[in-house]
Amino acid sequence: MSYKEKQIEKKYFSIGEVAKMLNVAASQIRFWEGEFDIINPRKNRNGKRQFTKEDIEKVKLVYHLVKEKGYTLQGAKDKLKSGTQATKDTMEMIDTLKEVRSFLIDLKEKMD
């Protein structure tokens, strides 16, 4: 029986890491945290935010509504109150399509 090393999975991410993932300033995420009740990362003893993958998905949802769809803050809040599942499904579909497009572009470049 061979030993298979477990992949280390990170549980918590700093606000800087989350900001880098979304290509926004950390101050933008702090602002959204104050505006949207769904964004509520845990804080350690030093007061530093620790985002879980679930927290990051919520930030991505706000990012999608505000930055990609062009909703105002109030419009995004109203949309989230009316139900997030349809918005999440749309966001996931867009992400998947972007990945497929990127793959196809890479494939085309390799063929040329």
Side-chain angles (χ1 to χ4, degrees):
M1 183 189 289
S2 65
Y3 173 74
K4 197 168 189 177
E5 209 171 302
K6 263 189 169 180
Q7 180 109 9
I8 297 174
E9 196 170 310
K10 195 168 182 176
K11 286 190 174 195
Y12 298 105
F13 298 83
S14 70
I15 193 166
E17 291 170 319
V18 177
K20 196 174 204 180
M21 285 178 204
L22 298 174
N23 200 24
V24 297
S27 60
Q28 181 74 64
I29 296 172
R30 283 192 292 273
F31 175 74
W32 286 342
E33 183 184 348
E35 291 292 318
F36 294 92
D37 294 337
I38 65 167
I39 302 174
N40 194 15
R42 115 181 220 196
K43 294 182 182 173
N44 66 13
R45 282 187 241 149
N46 298 333
K48 302 221 183 231
R49 291 163 179 82
Q50 296 178 318
F51 289 84
T52 61
K53 289 184 178 184
E54 184 178 302
D55 293 328
I56 294 170
E57 288 304 313
K58 292 174 184 176
V59 173
K60 283 182 178 180
L61 186 60
V62 170
Y63 176 87
H64 172 71
L65 290 173
V66 174
K67 295 288 188 180
E68 293 176 345
K69 291 295 228 173
Y71 279 78
T72 62
L73 292 178
Q74 189 58 49
K77 288 177 191 177
D78 294 343
K79 181 77 172 171
L80 291 172
K81 282 181 186 173
S82 67
T84 60
Q85 192 56 47
T87 306
K88 283 182 185 178
D89 292 343
T90 302
M91 187 179 75
E92 288 173 6
M93 183 173 42
I94 289 170
D95 288 343
T96 303
L97 289 171
K98 285 179 181 178
E99 289 174 13
V100 169
R101 182 174 190 249
S102 175
F103 170 76
L104 291 173
I105 289 171
D106 288 344
L107 186 63
K108 181 180 181 242
E109 288 174 359
K110 288 178 183 177
M111 292 178 75
D112 287 341

